[in-house]
């Protein structure tokens, strides 16, 4: 029986054991590998157990861990099947890594991350609510990132960063939709969220678009696929097998859940998804056709195959969706196999360039046969598994067309053509791969490497996967019956397989034909004739007559309309990420100088304006003193409080400005004192401010005296009346500098120094009359602070 | 309990003067003073939960020594003193070769002490009092090397924050004028009107370097690295945020329009400074811009005033503190050993500085908001809070900021730590420095994994705040 403990064990085993493996001694290489294989196998076995023992309808558990939502884990027929697939491919990848990664450094972090990646994928699948799913989803991105950047060079990190940023952008879009559903439905639990048709169309539209973006990035849907061709060449091959084999399937799984089980989607979405799927198929395969880096090529094929799955789900009819899911399984098998096979080639030849391969048929027979099977499977050639699932998708498209949904009635044949044509191109592309890697002569560079078949830990996974491709192709009823048995009820529409296609019988007939052919061949006495090529007596080096397969489709590349498109594509012209980066760069440039720089300049110019204004006043100091003195006397004579206060305000501000611009110590002291006197006059002009004024004067006097003492001391020591000549005085007279700063900040009213309370009292008294006075006092405090800062900067500066 | 509060505040504030006298052991004394106050705050953790305890020392009428202990205060005190203590330990290695170390440790301890004083203050004027002590401390610490440009930048920092705080002081005067008291508990729930709120807000924005006051923080990155770490992570910019939580969320009745205005200011700040961080090439200025942008997140979380938002905002105070301190200290290690600050001239540090680069990556992932790091939960809660309160556009922009954050931090990591090694001869020399950055990195990870512990605590606080 599947209970909480088993589920939690299943989920946490990779995480805990990853920590344990990381903690192992540096030298414990063999033990580390053994433990990793063992753990991944155990995870797989638990997944099988869960799959077998799962009751109909699945089980779910909720945990309250103090988050605003209940963390749900839910396992049903589909998720149990998918975690089994993930753990299976994961286990094979770990086994394969034992051989493949043997010569790499940094294995101490490699195996833990591999297990963490597998664990987080499992988590993302069995999450029962969208927020928990989001957590594991991001975790999955993170560990994939760590695995992609494993090599640690700039290119790998840039590819990893591209992946992390694109998928981060996508999943944050999705978070928006999730958050919206969470608050509007009151729960993020998938089983609770339903009936979304009750929303106004606009809301559903936005939510759906956000989900398509978020899931599409991870799935590698065109035009959001651009991380795939960069990430795969950077990542080690077993990691590629996991990324393409299963990680992008997690996104397909969630598309299935979100669009079909949660939204029960309408015609417009049917059409949109079908269209997106078809575009993805064609663009992916067209790009794959002209690649010469084997892993880039395979990455584009992943994009293309994802298109089939999206198309299958998009049909919205039972057979199509089943086909999509079956293709998901099949793709995991053959794409995992292809990446591992490519890994075997890379391991032996030390290159990813198809141009540099050739003639590996005899050296690596197992790799050849398994890759051939995978290539035929992915191209949809019977009797391999890819054919069956693609056939189901075709049927789904036709059926959806018969359903006369919006746009589907005329769109179906376009989608069907795209899908069939995509298959043909896939085959073409793999003919190139098989030909250039395995046939022909070995280039001399490879001959020197003395290439052999890879070791057992690497070819065992190849054989297992290839065998499964054949078995699921010949006996598709096994996966369809057992893996999807419980799904029949939850997918709307019955699954009817049209046409008379009995794969088992057909295979038997094909096999019989082959056997017959062999018998005829053996019985006949015909001999094959071999002739030397006529080369006019000249002896040719095999290198020169070698035709590299990578150039096979250069004609397509150079076709009239395609050449421009391909060139743009190679330069990243269709890469939304690069566009985004470019925009981000340009806009940030604008903001950096336009906003941040402008504000910065504004502050600087405020300082400058103050200085210029202060200088202007300083030049007319005698006139101003006379005028202010006159006003003061008159205001006292007529005993006008308002006039007195106004005079005080001007005295405070003007003398403070003078003090800022003054360079002579003696005069500075005077301006400073006069400015402070302004406060006292203001206090006289305010009602009920007598005690505040007295307190203020007392504190100002203290501050001012401290400034006099320190400045005169410094003046005597440095024998200069010019403030600028005191530069660096703090080194020689630290004590006097401290005194100056204390006095100055006290005067400016910075706590904890003495001026603060007096200023507060005075300002409060001003506030009672008119808030303007408080602001004037604040401005004067700022000006006071300005001259104190100016002088202390001179005193402190070292250079 | 009263004694514990007083210990937490008085030991570093008055103890800092002992540092002036302690010649040879000043650094150890400094660490011990802050550690004592951290321990005191730690003991307050249990009793503080879910209640508000006032403490009145009857000093003078206006500037009364009124302190209060509640969950929010203790949480902030723990963040500041804990991160501060680690940064002091880091300084042992970093500052060893510089002059004026007595001045350095004096100001650092006083800085942290006055932060704790501010945190436990239950009186607006007392809060302002400690607020300005931190201003003076930061002024001296930013210009610590006494180069001309450094002093100019320090003056700019003091000037802009002082500008904010004199306006705030007028706001405080207005409150006093209206209600005749500055005690926060007595002022709880009153409506003080929009002008005083605006003046108080300007003070907080200036202190937390939000637009249009953000320029001083990037200028302040000329300070020694432990100081920048302290400014960004533990004490200075967090003051504005804490004051916002205390004054806007906890104390006053804040009319509804403020929860529209503040997020708008904050999101503009977040975007502008994230863009600046993307454009910048100086390692410390990148991180400085990043701080401005992340602090904006905290403001957003707190200002939407729902339980989810406040929990997210408060959690981010802790997580950002830990993460950003780690980032600055890692940048400090790089800058200290190579003497180079331009990311274009650095590369391949992962080979020569494995621990530092690992710590940097872990801290960066936390700030980017990747699970299972602490930053993930904080950002998640803030974005969810925005969606909950229906601010979809701001939520969208917050998401955009998060993406740009990933972009510039990964760019930083790729340029500085990956690729071709530019300084092959250098090593991670100082044990103190390496150990500290690793502690920060692992702390960020542990907060994320065991997130339910801080969340439980913060939820109690947030319910108090939102309910009041």
């Amino acid at each position: 029986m599947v209970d909480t403990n088993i589920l939690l064990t299943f989920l946490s085993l990779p995480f805990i054991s990853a920590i344990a493996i990381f903690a192992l001694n540096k030298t414990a290489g063999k033990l580390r590998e053994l433990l990793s294989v063992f753990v991944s196998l155990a995870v797989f076995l638990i997944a099988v157990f869960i799959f077998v023992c799962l009751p109909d309808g699945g089980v779910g558990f909720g945990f309250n861990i103090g988050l605003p939502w209940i963390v749900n884990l839910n396992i049903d027929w589909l998720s149990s099947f998918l975690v089994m697939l993930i753990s299976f491919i994961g286990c094979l990848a770990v086994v394969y890594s034992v051989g493949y990664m043997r010569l790499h450094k940094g294995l101490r972090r490699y195996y833990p991350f591999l297990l963490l990646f597998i664990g987080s994928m499992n988590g993302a699948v069995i999450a029962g609510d969208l927020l928990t799913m989001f957590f594991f989803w991001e975790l999955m991105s993170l560990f994939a990132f760590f695995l992609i950047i494993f090599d640690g060079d700039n290119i790998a990190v840039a590819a990893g960063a591209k992946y992390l940023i694109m998928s981060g952008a996508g999943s944050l879009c999705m978070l928006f939709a999730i958050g919206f559903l969470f608050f509007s439905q009151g729960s993020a639990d998938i089983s609770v969220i339903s009936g979304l048709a009750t929303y106004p169309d606009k809301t559903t539209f936005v939510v759906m678009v956000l989900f398509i973006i978020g899931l599409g990035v991870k799935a590698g849907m065109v035009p959001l696929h651009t991380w795939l061709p960069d990430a795969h060449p950077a990542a080690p091959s077993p990691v590629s097998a996991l990324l393409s084999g299963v990680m992008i399937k997690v996104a397909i799984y969630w598309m299935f859940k979100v669009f079909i089980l949660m939204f029960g989607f309408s015609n417009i979405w049917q059409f949109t998804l079908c269209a997106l799927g078809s575009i993805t198929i064609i663009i992916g395969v067209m790009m794959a056709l002209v690649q010469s880096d084997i892993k880039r090529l395979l990455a584009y094929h992943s994009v293309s195959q994802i298109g089939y799955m999206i198309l299958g789900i998009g049909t919205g009819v039972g057979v199509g969706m089943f086909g999509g899911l079956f293709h998901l399984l099949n793709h995991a098998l053959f794409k995992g196999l292809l990446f591992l096979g490519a890994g075997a080639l890379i391991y032996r030849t030390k290159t990813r360039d198809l141009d540099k391969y050739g003639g590996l048929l005899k050296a690596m027979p197992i790799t050849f046969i398994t890759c051939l099977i995978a290539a035929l499977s992915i191209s949809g050639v019977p009797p391999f598994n890819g054919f069956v699932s693609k056939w189901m998708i075709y049927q789904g498209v036709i059926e959806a067309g018969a359903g006369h949904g919006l746009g589907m009635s005329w769109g179906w044949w376009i989608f069907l053509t795209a899908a069939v044509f995509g298959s043909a191109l896939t085959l073409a592309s793999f003919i190139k791969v098989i030909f250039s890697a395995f046939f022909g002569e070995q280039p001399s560079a490879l001959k020197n490497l003395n290439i052999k078949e890879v070791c057992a830990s690497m070819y065992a996974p190849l054989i297992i996967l290839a065998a499964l491709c054949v078995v699921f192709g010949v006996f598709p009823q096994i996966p369809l019956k057992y893996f999807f048995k419980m799904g029949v009820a939850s997918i709307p529409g019955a699954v009817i397989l049209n046409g008379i296609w009995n794969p088992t019988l057909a295979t038997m007939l094909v096999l019989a034909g082959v056997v017959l052919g062999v018998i005829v061949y053996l019985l006949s006495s015909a001999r094959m004739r071999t002739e030397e090529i006529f080369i006019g007596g000249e002896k040719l080096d095999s290198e020169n007559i070698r035709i590299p397969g990578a150039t096979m489709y250069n004609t397509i590349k150079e076709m009239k309309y395609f050449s421009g498109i391909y060139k743009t594509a190679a330069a990243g012209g269709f890469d939304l990420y690069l566009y985004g980066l470019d925009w981000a760069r340009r806009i940030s440039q604008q903001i950096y100088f336009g906003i941040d720089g402008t504000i910065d300049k504004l502050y600087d110019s405020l300082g400058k304006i103050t200085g210029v204004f202060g200088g202007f006043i300083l030049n007319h100091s005698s006139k101003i003193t006379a005028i202010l003195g006159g006003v003061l006397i008159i205001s006292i004579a007529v005993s006008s409080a308002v006039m007195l206060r106004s005079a005080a305000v001007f005295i405070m501000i003007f003398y403070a400005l003078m003090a800022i611009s003054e360079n002579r110590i003696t005069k500075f002291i005077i301006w400073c004192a006069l400015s402070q006197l302004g406060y006292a006059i203001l206090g006289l002009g305010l009602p009920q401010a007598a005690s505040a004024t007295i307190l203020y004067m007392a504190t100002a006097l203290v501050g001012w005296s401290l400034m006099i003492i320190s400045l005169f001391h410094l003046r005597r020591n440095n024998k200069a009346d010019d403030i600028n000549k005191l530069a660096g005085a703090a080194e020689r007279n630290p004590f006097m500098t401290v005194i100056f700063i204390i006095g100055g900040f006290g005067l400016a009213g910075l706590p904890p120094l003495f001026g603060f309370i007096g200023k507060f009292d005075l300002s409060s008294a001003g506030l009672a009359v008119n808030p303007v006075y408080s602001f004037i006092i604040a401005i004067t405090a700022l000006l006071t602070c300005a001259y104190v800062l100016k002088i202390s900067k001179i005193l402190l500066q070292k250079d | 309990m009263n004694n514990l509060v007083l210990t937490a505040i008085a030991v570093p504030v008055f103890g800092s003067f002992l540092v002036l006298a302690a010649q040879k052991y000043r650094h150890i004394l400094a660490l011990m003073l802050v550690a004592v106050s951290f321990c005191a705050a730690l003991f307050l953790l249990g009793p503080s939960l879910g209640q508000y305890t006032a403490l009145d020392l009857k000093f003078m009428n206006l500037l009364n020594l009124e302190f209060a202990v509640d969950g929010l205060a203790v949480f902030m005190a723990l963040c500041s003193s804990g991160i501060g203590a680690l940064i002091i330990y880091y300084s042992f290695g970093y500052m060893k070769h510089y002059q004026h170390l007595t001045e350095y440790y004096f100001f650092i301890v006083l800085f942290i002490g006055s932060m704790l004083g501010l945190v436990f203050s239950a009186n607006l004027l007392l809060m302002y009092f400690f607020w300005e002590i931190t201003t003076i401390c930061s002024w001296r610490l930013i210009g610590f090397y006494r180069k001309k440009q450094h002093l100019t930048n320090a003056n700019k920092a003091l000037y802009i924050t002082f500008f904010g705080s004199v306006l705030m002081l007028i706001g405080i005067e207005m409150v006093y004028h209206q209600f005749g008291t500055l005690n926060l508990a007595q002022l709880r729930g009153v409506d003080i009107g929009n002008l005083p709120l605006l003046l108080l807000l300007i003070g907080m924005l200036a202190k937390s370097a939000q637009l249009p006051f953000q320029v001083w923080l990037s200028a302040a990155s000329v300070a020694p690295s432990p100081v920048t770490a302290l400014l960004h992570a533990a004490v200075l910019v967090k003051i504005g945020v804490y004051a916002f939580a205390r004054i806007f969320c906890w104390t006053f009745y804040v009319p509804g329009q403020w929860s529209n205005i503040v997020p708008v200011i904050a999101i503009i700040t977040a975007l502008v400074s994230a863009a600046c961080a993307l454009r910048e090439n100086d390692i410390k200025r990148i991180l400085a811009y990043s701080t401005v942008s992340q602090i904006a997140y905290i403001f957003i979380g707190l200002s939407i005033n729902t339980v989810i938002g406040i929990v997210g905002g408060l959690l981010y105070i802790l997580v950002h503190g830990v993460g950003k301190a780690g980032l600055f200290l890692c940048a400090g290690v790089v800058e200290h050993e190579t003497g180079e600050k331009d990311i274009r001239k650095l590369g391949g540090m992962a080979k020569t500085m494995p621990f530092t680069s690992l710590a940097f990556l872990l801290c960066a992932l936390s700030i980017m908001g990747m699970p299972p790091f602490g930053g993930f939960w904080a950002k998640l809660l803030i974005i969810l809070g925005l969606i909950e309160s229906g601010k979809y556009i701001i939520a969208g922009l917050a998401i955009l900021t998060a993406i740009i954050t990933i972009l510039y931090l990964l760019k930083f990591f790729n340029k500085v730590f990956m690729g071709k090694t530019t300084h092959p001869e250098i090593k991670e020399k100082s044990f103190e420095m390496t150990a500290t950055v690793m502690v920060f990195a692992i702390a960020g990870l542990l907060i994320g994994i065991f997130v339910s512990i801080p969340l439980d605590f913060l939820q109690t606080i947030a319910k108090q705040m939102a309910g009041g």
Side-chain angles (χ1 to χ4, degrees), chain A residues 22 65-69 131 134-143 145-146 149 152-155 157-158 160-162 164-165 168-170 172-173 175-180 182-183 577 580-581 584-585 587-589 591-593 595-596 599-600 603-604 660 730-731 741 745 748-753 756-757 759-761 763-764 767-769 771 774-776 778-779 781-786 788-790 792-794 796-799, chain B residues 60 62-63 99-100 103 125 128-130 132-133 135-136 139-140 145-149 151-152 155-156 158-160 162-163 166-167 169-170 172-174 176-177 182 195 199 211-215 218 271-281 285 289 308 351 361-362 365 368-373 376-377 379-381 383-385 387-388 391-393 395-396 399 402-403 406-407 410 413-415 418-420 451-452 455-456 459:
Chain A
F22 183 74
I65 60 163
L67 291 166
W69 70 92
L131 285 161
F134 180 74
F135 171 76
F136 282 112
W137 183 267
E138 288 286 82
L139 207 58
M140 179 172 94
S141 307
L142 180 68
F143 294 133
F145 164 75
F146 276 120
I149 66 163
D153 55 17
N154 278 125
I155 297 171
V157 179
K162 185 175 185 179
L164 197 62
I165 290 160
L172 284 168
C173 287
L175 174 64
F176 197 100
I178 293 173
F180 179 78
F182 175 56
F183 290 112
Y577 173 74
L581 271 194
R585 263 191 216 116
I587 292 174
S588 65
Q589 179 92 358
I591 289 177
Y592 186 75
F593 291 110
I595 299 181
D596 194 64
I599 292 175
D600 203 18
Y603 283 109
D604 289 346
I660 289 177
E731 293 293 314
I741 290 172
F745 280 163
L750 268 162
L753 302 166
F756 152 66
I757 291 294
K759 226 164 218 172
F760 184 82
D761 278 348
S763 181
S764 293
L767 189 73
V769 177
S774 298
F775 285 99
I776 295 288
I779 290 171
L782 282 170
L783 293 175
T784 312
C785 191
V788 173
L789 284 180
K790 179 194 153 198
S792 50
K793 181 184 155 191
I794 293 170
L796 285 169
Q797 81 187 35
K798 250 183 184 172
D799 49 352
Chain B
M60 54 188 274
L62 187 63
L63 186 66
Q99 274 181 313
H100 307 300
E103 186 189 6
L125 198 62
Y128 176 79
F129 179 80
F130 285 117
E132 292 294 31
I133 300 180
T135 308
I136 296 177
W139 171 70
R140 239 354 263 131
Y145 292 141
R146 301 188 184 181
K147 301 243 170 59
K148 200 172 173 189
Q149 186 59 43
L151 292 167
T152 311
N155 284 358
K156 187 186 260 178
L158 188 142
Y159 213 72
I160 293 176
F162 188 52
F163 170 76
V166 289
L167 292 184
L169 190 63
I170 297 175
I172 295 174
E173 280 161 11
M174 286 174 170
Y176 188 63
H177 190 67
L182 290 173
L195 182 64
L199 292 171
L211 220 63
F213 308 108
Q214 87 285 23
V215 290
S218 48
L271 274 172
V272 166
S273 47
C276 292
L278 191 61
R279 165 63 183 69
E280 184 59 63
N281 285 317
R285 284 177 67 100
Y289 281 121
I308 291 182
K351 292 205 184 70
L361 185 59
L362 295 184
L365 289 170
M368 285 177 213
M370 280 290 161
F373 298 91
F376 169 78
W377 301 106
K379 276 195 178 169
L380 179 71
L381 290 174
I383 291 172
L384 283 182
I387 295 172
E388 186 188 20
K391 296 182 176 38
Y392 297 128
I393 296 173
I399 284 171
I403 297 166
I406 303 178
L407 201 61
L410 278 182
F413 178 73
N414 197 3
K415 286 250 164 95
M418 290 289 156
K420 210 165 144 259
V451 71
S452 50
L455 277 184
D456 275 347
Q459 250 156 8

Side-chain angles (χ1 to χ4, degrees), chain A residues 645 647-649 651-652 673-683 762:
Chain A
R645 289 200 292 260
V649 163
I651 291 173
M652 283 157 70
L674 285 174
S675 167
Q676 297 302 316
L677 203 63
Y679 282 92
I681 298 169
L682 180 67
L762 201 61

Side-chain angles (χ1 to χ4, degrees), chain A residues 383-401:
Chain A
F384 300 104
N385 57 356
F387 170 74
V388 186
S389 47
K390 280 186 180 176
W391 183 253
M392 289 170 75
I393 293 168
Y394 301 156
Q395 274 192 25
V397 174
I398 296 167
E399 235 177 77

Side-chain angles (χ1 to χ4, degrees), chain A residues 15-100:
Chain A
F15 292 94
I16 293 167
S17 50
I19 297 168
I21 290 169
F22 183 74
L24 278 182
N25 196 325
K26 252 185 191 168
T27 51
K30 279 273 177 289
L31 182 62
R32 187 182 305 127
E33 284 157 11
L34 204 67
L35 210 58
S36 308
V37 171
F38 176 74
V39 169
S40 59
L41 191 66
V43 171
F44 173 57
L45 291 177
I46 299 175
V48 173
F49 173 78
I50 291 174
F51 179 76
V52 172
C53 300
L54 192 72
D56 289 350
V59 284
F61 308 99
F63 308 89
N64 189 355
I65 60 163
L67 291 166
W69 70 92
I70 306 284
V71 174
N72 270 305
L73 296 179
N74 189 359
I75 192 145
D76 57 11
W77 64 277
L78 188 56
S79 51
S80 69
F81 160 68
L82 199 62
V83 291
M84 191 169 73
L85 185 64
I86 291 169
S87 326
F88 175 62
I89 303 283
C91 180
L92 291 184
V94 173
V95 172
Y96 184 88
S97 298
V98 173
Y100 184 81

Side-chain angles (χ1 to χ4, degrees), chain B residues 24-72:
Chain B
K24 202 174 160 192
Y25 299 105
R26 55 199 167 192
H27 55 296
I28 294 173
L29 179 65
L31 180 61
M32 283 179 44
L33 291 170
V34 177
V36 165
S37 109
F38 176 74
C39 293
L42 206 58
F43 282 120
L44 284 170
L45 194 59
S48 74
L49 195 62
Q51 56 177 351
Y52 179 87
T53 317
L55 165 66
D56 189 350
L57 290 186
K58 296 273 178 249
F59 177 61
M60 54 188 274
N61 196 17
L62 187 63
L63 186 66
N64 201 353
L65 291 183
E66 290 163 304
F67 296 103
V69 186
D70 66 351
L72 178 63

